[in-house]
């Protein structure tokens, strides 16, 4: 038996990176398919055997450590697994071009939190404005507990530390388009030609295949998740239940609210709103909470 990780799959042919050696193409054995209702996803760890006819087969799917799944907004129920065994979500923003939209960052972080995944924030294009401005705009996230990386794909600033954080881990890299996700990956791993975040509308023209999810092995160990679904993360739904727990600075306080099910909107003796008044919780973060909560409640009404 060989252990491997699923890199990509189309039409029942799964590309699996073996632990020691090359990537192989394998089919899922019928008995595995029926044994569980879990659909195989990129990042899944599997056990493989080579058949006499030299084909490879997946005999077992190992238990997942984590999943990154997409909650459909609106009336659609259920979740779709984007990738399994993701170690961290890396949210990339730019200091300029495009102008950073901090409410959007909060949404990305909530999605990471709702999947119980660690997140870090990259502020790229620091060459366009400087370290000080990056810290004044995004420093608050570091205080909340999100590691902050200030980078420039153009000058190479901050890339070495980022490389160390990607090494040996499976990372889902996301952020608005144009912030430099692909440029960062290409600056870190020249020759890998990752096109993270590219919306390749033309790829499918005239073909009936879907561009699926990919897991890219990194040269110094670890993987980067690239899927069309991840590019649309701004459209993913967020849960209303437990939304406050997706804000680490609120999570720490909610025990002190008078009501256990406090929504932190209007209830008396709310520790979250008291912290807001003291300035211990930032008003932009609180506004994001309000906005995401009303959006989630609205979509759950159907
Ligand atoms: P993506 O959509 O997030 O993958 O963004 P791209 O990597 O395609 O970059 C969008 C644009 O920003 C390109 O024109 C890049 O050359 C430019 N860019 C990327 N990183 C930097 C940076 O650190 N500094 C500057 N000044 N421009 C950058
Ligand atoms: Zn409260």
């Amino acid at each position: 038996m060989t252990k491997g990780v699923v890199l990509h799959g189309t039409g029942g042919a799964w590309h699996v990176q073996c632990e020691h050696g090359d990537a192989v193409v394998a089919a899922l054995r019928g008995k595995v398919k029926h044994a569980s209702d879990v659909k195989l996803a990129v990042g899944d760890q599997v056990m493989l055997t080579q058949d006499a006819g030299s084909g490879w087969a997946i005999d077992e799917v190992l238990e997942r450590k984590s999943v990154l799944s997409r909650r459909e907004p609106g009336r659609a129920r259920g979740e779709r697994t984007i990738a399994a065994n993701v170690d961290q979500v890396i949210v990339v923003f730019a200091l300029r071009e495009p102008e950073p939209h901090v409410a959007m960052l909060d949404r990305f972080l909530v999605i990471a939190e709702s999947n119980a995944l660690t997140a870090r924030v990259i502020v790229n294009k620091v060459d366009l404005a400087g370290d000080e401005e990056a810290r004044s705009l995004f420093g608050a996230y570091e205080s909340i507990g999100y590691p902050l990386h200030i980078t420039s794909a153009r000058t190479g600033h901050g890339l070495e530390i980022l490389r160390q954080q990607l090494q040996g881990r499976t990372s889902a890299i996301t952020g608005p388009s144009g912030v430099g996700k692909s440029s960062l990956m290409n600056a870190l791993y020249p020759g890998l030609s990752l096109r993270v975040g590219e919306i390749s509308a033309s790829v499918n023209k005239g073909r009936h295949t879907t561009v699926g999810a990919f897991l890219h092995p990194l040269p110094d160990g670890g993987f980067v998740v690239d899927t069309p679904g991840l590019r649309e993360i701004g459209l993913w739904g967020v849960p209303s239940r437990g939304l406050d727990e997706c804000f680490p600075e609120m999570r720490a306080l909610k025990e002190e609210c008078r009501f256990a099910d406090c929504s932190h909107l209007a209830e008396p003796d709310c520790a979250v709103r008291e912290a807001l008044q003291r300035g211990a919780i930032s008003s932009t973060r609180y506004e994001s909470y309000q906005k995401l909560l009303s959006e989630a409640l609205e979509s759950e009404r159907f």
Side-chain angles (χ1 to χ4, degrees):
M1 280 254 209
T2 304
K3 192 173 169 187
V5 58
V6 174
L7 299 180
H8 176 58
T10 35
W14 296 94
H15 295 243
V16 178
Q17 174 70 55
C18 296
E19 203 166 40
H20 309 287
D22 295 334
V24 300
V25 178
L28 198 58
R29 270 198 214 287
K31 71 165 173 49
V32 183
K33 262 187 230 167
H34 298 295
S36 78
D37 52 3
V38 175
K39 273 196 193 153
L40 208 56
V42 301
D44 262 321
Q45 294 199 311
V46 296
M47 300 304 290
L48 305 154
T49 46
Q50 194 165 17
D51 283 342
S54 90
W56 287 86
I58 296 171
D59 295 285
E60 191 186 346
V61 183
L62 303 184
E63 201 182 322
R64 292 171 173 170
K65 286 183 295 183
S66 66
V67 284
L68 175 59
S69 54
R70 175 180 183 159
R71 174 187 294 266
E72 301 296 338
R75 65 186 66 203
R77 262 166 261 269
E79 298 189 334
R80 196 157 58 82
T81 300
I82 299 291
N85 300 316
V86 172
D87 294 310
Q88 57 183 354
V89 174
I90 301 202
V91 188
V92 186
F93 268 65
L95 197 44
R96 295 264 162 77
E97 303 175 21
E99 218 57 51
H101 187 21
V102 179
M104 185 65 123
L105 173 55
D106 292 332
R107 173 188 288 275
F108 283 50
L109 293 173
V110 161
I111 285 166
E113 295 282 346
S114 68
N115 282 280
L117 295 172
T118 305
R120 36 182 91 241
V121 176
I122 296 182
V123 182
N124 189 40
K125 305 200 191 185
V126 65
D127 55 290
L128 297 180
D131 226 79
E132 234 166 79
E133 190 177 326
R135 296 218 166 263
S136 81
L137 276 173
F138 293 93
Y141 289 90
E142 204 166 29
S143 322
I144 295 168
Y146 296 109
L148 186 65
H149 297 270
I150 296 175
T151 65
S152 168
R154 184 153 295 171
T155 68
H157 181 92
L159 295 193
E160 209 37 58
I161 299 169
L162 180 57
R163 184 201 310 276
Q164 287 163 18
Q165 299 302 331
L166 292 168
Q167 192 173 4
R169 298 189 176 141
T170 297
S171 308
I173 299 180
T174 184
S177 89
V179 296
K181 297 181 292 298
S182 323
S183 306
L184 282 169
M185 287 300 114
N186 293 328
L188 283 167
Y189 310 107
L192 209 62
S193 205
L194 282 177
R195 295 187 296 184
V196 180
E198 180 172 289
I199 298 160
S200 39
S202 62
V203 170
N204 262 338
K205 270 189 196 144
R207 282 202 250 153
H208 294 286
T209 53
T210 345
V211 182
F214 283 89
L215 199 65
H216 295 284
L218 298 177
D220 35 4
F223 300 92
V224 165
V225 181
D226 186 19
T227 93
L230 203 52
R231 290 166 212 161
E232 296 158 4
I233 200 165
L235 307 174
W236 295 14
V238 298
S240 67
R241 239 180 101 94
L243 183 65
D244 53 358
E245 301 197 2
C246 296
F247 287 75
E249 70 272 50
M250 294 191 189
R251 187 156 68 210
L253 283 169
K254 64 176 288 191
E255 303 297 314
E256 294 166 32
C257 294
R258 187 204 292 185
F259 300 107
D261 62 348
C262 186
S263 71
H264 323 300
L265 296 180
E267 294 89 338
D269 297 329
C270 168
V272 167
R273 281 188 304 126
E274 278 162 18
L276 177 69
Q277 267 145 26
R278 290 201 304 276
I281 284 183
S282 98
S283 54
T284 60
R285 288 277 290 169
Y286 183 74
E287 280 160 25
S288 288
Y289 168 75
Q290 284 177 306
K291 185 165 165 278
L292 290 170
L293 183 63
S294 66
E295 176 195 303
L297 289 169
E298 180 65 26
S299 74
E300 285 162 16
R301 275 176 42 212
F302 297 104

